[in-house]
Amino acid sequence: MTSPPLRSSTTLFSFQPRRRGSSRLDLNRGGFSLCASSVLNEEKRNLELGGHVGFDSLPDQLVSKSVAQGFCFNILCVGETGIGKSTLMNTLFNTTFENEEGSHYESEVHLRPQTYDLQESNVNLKLTIVHTVGFGDQINKEESYKPILEYIDAQFEKFLEEELKIKRSLYNYHDTRIHICLYFIAPTGHSLKSLDLVTMKKLDSKVNIIPVIAKADTVSKSELDKLKIKIMSELVSNGVQIYQFPTEDEAVAEINSSMNTHLPFAVVGSVEDVKVGNKMVKARLYPWGSVQVENENHCDFVKLREMLLRVNMEDLREQTHARHYELYRRCKLEEMGFKDTDPDSQSFSLQETYEAKRKEFLVELQRKEEEMRQMFVNKVKETEAELKEKEKELHERFEQLKRMHQDEKKNLEEKRRELEEEMNAFNRRKVAAETLMGQALQGCSQQPFKKDKDKKK
């Protein structure tokens, strides 16, 4: 069988006068531009192949390339200390991860990422588990979610910086963006805490959230059903967007739509092997019996593992890149001055955007420099005014002290003059007294002489 002949187009290119604002390719030949609109507007032609060509192996090539490159998956575990985050991770991946026991006395929330290389069959997985150490242990819990938001944004920022590099290496780049957030809800109480609602509301635009009820074996089955209904109603009423398993693919639409009705998952984790009947299973052993982790009548652990790892792992990775990262990237580029253009407007130019942003930056820098200069001048004037005021106060103080000194000097002069007058008066009295005493002594000495004279006579 021979393939039908290709249809030829007689008007592949045409020369038309150049219009202002046109996005056609300019050949700079007498003001004309090359127009390929007839090619773009031509309908696609469907051809029948005469035999096997071989491009149907493209999916197999993609699979081989992806398997050789390996995969990465990053899980963020948010929950209070001791709620069972590490135990659930060990149970999910059927191994024992290295993890330090958390303390209830952390002054602030710390995020501790740990990366592991796992292999199953011929598939390599670079798994990163991020624990929130000290979450919910502070007295003031208002800012407990901020370190988590900052960490998620920091991973987006690293990926964006790698994308904007001139020489990129996205092929072997270790992607640390968070693909899923498992939010652990304590089974104590009949509703969500205010911290849970605030944190999930802040995180829902940054990461895929799957709420899980931890330590579900501490609640009876009837109370657990009521708690699930209460949690979902509170999430809906507060506008919290949690991750919904996709139902577009017919292969997984039925199971995903069924699993969406089971959210939040009530899970139990355990790494202990307990003999139940004739087989060993993962379970928690109590005096009254055992809670089997992989028994769907006891908890939703199997549902969580099925949805998280076996069915929707690639969708979680895709949603992280196509939804959450694109939202962050768009907002970040808009802050940097980049913007999309309409098809009818002028084409987008990185150079023009850079120049415009540079001019804007220089104008802003000049404005800030002028503000700093004006602030410096005002500060100098204020300082000069303060110095003049202090100088005036010092002069006034000096004049006051000078007047006080003069007054004291005047008082001392007056006291000195009074003392001199008193001394002069005292000296005059002393001289008078001495004169009188001398006269008295002289008179006394003459009187006995007269008596002796009289006796001789």
Side-chain angles (χ1 to χ4, degrees):
M1 182 179 65
T2 60
S3 59
L6 297 177
R7 292 181 298 171
S8 62
S9 177
T10 59
T11 58
L12 287 178
F13 302 100
S14 63
F15 287 98
Q16 297 180 356
R18 184 183 180 185
R19 293 181 297 174
R20 188 176 183 181
S22 176
S23 60
R24 293 182 174 87
L25 179 63
D26 188 9
L27 296 180
N28 295 323
R29 295 179 180 176
F32 288 86
S33 61
L34 183 63
C35 176
S37 59
S38 59
V39 175
L40 297 176
N41 295 329
E42 188 178 0
E43 295 182 357
K44 296 180 180 179
R45 294 170 290 180
N46 296 323
L47 300 179
E48 295 182 0
L49 302 178
H52 181 263
V53 177
F55 60 80
D56 58 350
S57 65
L58 182 59
D60 297 332
Q61 298 175 32
L62 291 175
V63 170
S64 300
K65 184 177 179 180
S66 299
V67 169
Q69 182 180 359
F71 302 90
C72 66
F73 193 62
N74 307 317
I75 303 176
L76 172 65
C77 299
V78 181
E80 300 175 358
T81 305
I83 203 171
K85 302 185 293 293
S86 301
T87 304
L88 182 64
M89 290 298 102
N90 295 338
T91 311
L92 271 176
F93 293 93
N94 197 21
T95 187
T96 302
F97 297 112
E98 298 176 0
N99 189 31
E100 299 178 3
E101 186 175 352
S103 172
H104 288 277
Y105 303 100
E106 297 290 340
S107 58
E108 59 183 7
V109 180
H110 302 281
L111 276 84
R112 186 171 59 202
Q114 293 176 322
T115 303
Y116 308 93
D117 291 322
L118 306 179
Q119 183 175 5
E120 188 175 30
S121 298
N122 63 334
V123 178
N124 295 319
L125 178 67
K126 187 179 289 291
L127 176 68
T128 300
I129 301 175
V130 183
H131 291 281
T132 53
V133 181
F135 180 78
D137 291 337
Q138 295 77 31
I139 297 177
N140 184 8
K141 299 180 177 60
E142 293 182 358
E143 298 185 353
S144 296
Y145 63 88
K146 287 187 177 180
I148 305 175
L149 290 178
E150 292 173 358
Y151 179 84
I152 296 174
D153 287 341
Q155 311 317 307
F156 285 156
E157 182 71 20
K158 289 180 181 179
F159 194 86
L160 181 60
E161 289 178 357
E162 186 65 27
E163 275 191 335
L164 296 179
K165 285 181 179 179
I166 297 176
K167 186 178 180 180
R168 300 183 298 180
S169 58
L170 294 177
Y171 177 79
N172 56 358
Y173 175 75
H174 179 207
D175 188 4
T176 58
R177 295 174 296 176
I178 299 299
H179 299 125
I180 182 62
C181 170
L182 293 179
Y183 195 93
F184 289 74
I185 301 172
T188 57
H190 302 285
S191 62
L192 291 171
K193 299 178 182 179
S194 58
L195 175 62
D196 300 331
L197 288 173
V198 171
T199 304
M200 282 193 278
K201 183 63 178 176
K202 295 292 182 180
L203 293 178
D204 62 358
S205 62
K206 302 282 185 180
V207 67
N208 303 311
I209 301 177
I210 295 181
V212 295
I213 302 174
K215 298 183 177 181
D217 53 339
T218 61
V219 185
S220 65
K221 194 172 184 62
S222 60
E223 291 178 349
L224 195 59
D225 294 337
K226 294 179 182 178
L227 181 59
K228 283 187 176 184
I229 297 173
K230 182 67 175 178
I231 290 173
M232 291 304 297
S233 64
E234 288 185 352
L235 292 177
V236 172
S237 61
N238 287 276
V240 179
Q241 301 292 329
I242 64 174
Y243 176 75
Q244 295 290 320
F245 302 115
T247 57
E248 293 82 9
D249 189 359
E250 295 181 357
V252 295
E254 184 178 354
I255 184 173
N256 279 349
S257 60
S258 175
M259 289 299 115
N260 283 329
T261 60
H262 287 83
L263 290 172
F265 293 127
V267 297
V268 177
S270 176
V271 294
E272 298 178 1
D273 293 324
V274 178
K275 187 174 183 180
V276 177
N278 296 326
K279 60 180 181 178
M280 301 296 292
V281 295
K282 300 289 184 183
R284 298 185 70 89
L285 191 60
Y286 294 97
W288 44 264
S290 61
V291 177
Q292 301 177 29
V293 172
E294 296 183 351
N295 189 335
E296 296 191 36
N297 293 324
H298 292 181
C299 67
D300 298 332
F301 173 79
V302 174
K303 296 182 177 67
L304 175 63
R305 185 179 60 188
E306 188 79 14
M307 292 296 99
L308 183 63
L309 303 179
R310 300 181 180 179
V311 179
N312 299 300
M313 178 182 284
E314 180 57 30
D315 184 74
L316 289 168
R317 288 156 42 89
E318 183 181 350
Q319 286 291 325
T320 299
H321 181 80
R323 179 187 172 193
H324 302 293
Y325 170 70
E326 283 299 322
L327 176 62
Y328 174 85
R329 177 179 174 273
R330 183 171 70 248
C331 296
K332 197 69 175 179
L333 292 180
E334 288 177 354
E335 290 178 3
M336 297 169 63
F338 298 98
K339 58 182 179 181
D340 293 333
T341 56
D342 298 329
D344 297 334
S345 62
Q346 294 182 356
S347 60
F348 178 75
S349 173
L350 288 175
Q351 181 66 23
E352 293 177 359
T353 303
Y354 169 75
E355 292 294 337
K357 196 66 179 178
R358 184 174 181 273
K359 290 180 181 178
E360 181 182 348
F361 174 76
L362 291 177
V363 171
E364 182 69 16
L365 184 64
Q366 186 177 1
R367 185 185 65 82
K368 289 185 177 181
E369 185 178 356
E370 187 63 29
E371 288 181 357
M372 292 290 291
R373 186 181 293 108
Q374 189 64 31
M375 187 184 301
F376 178 75
V377 171
N378 294 337
K379 195 69 175 178
V380 169
K381 289 181 179 179
E382 291 177 1
T383 306
E384 289 179 351
E386 291 178 359
L387 290 175
K388 288 181 179 179
E389 186 68 25
K390 290 182 179 180
E391 185 179 3
K392 184 179 178 181
E393 292 178 359
L394 287 175
H395 279 295
E396 291 178 355
R397 183 65 176 169
F398 175 74
E399 293 295 332
Q400 184 180 1
L401 291 174
K402 187 176 179 181
R403 288 194 298 269
M404 291 174 61
H405 175 70
Q406 290 176 354
D407 293 340
E408 290 180 358
K409 184 177 180 181
K410 185 177 180 181
N411 293 333
L412 288 174
E413 289 293 336
E414 291 179 356
K415 289 182 179 180
R416 179 183 177 184
R417 189 171 57 254
E418 291 176 357
L419 287 174
E420 287 179 352
E421 290 177 356
E422 289 180 0
M423 288 177 64
N424 292 334
F426 176 75
N427 289 332
R428 288 195 297 269
R429 288 196 300 271
K430 181 180 179 183
V431 171
E434 289 178 350
T435 305
L436 292 175
M437 187 177 292
Q439 291 177 359
L441 290 175
Q442 187 178 1
C444 292
S445 61
Q446 290 179 358
Q447 191 173 4
F449 179 72
K450 287 180 180 182
K451 288 182 179 180
D452 292 339
K453 251 181 151 185
D454 291 338
K455 286 180 180 180
K456 288 180 180 182
K457 291 177 177 182

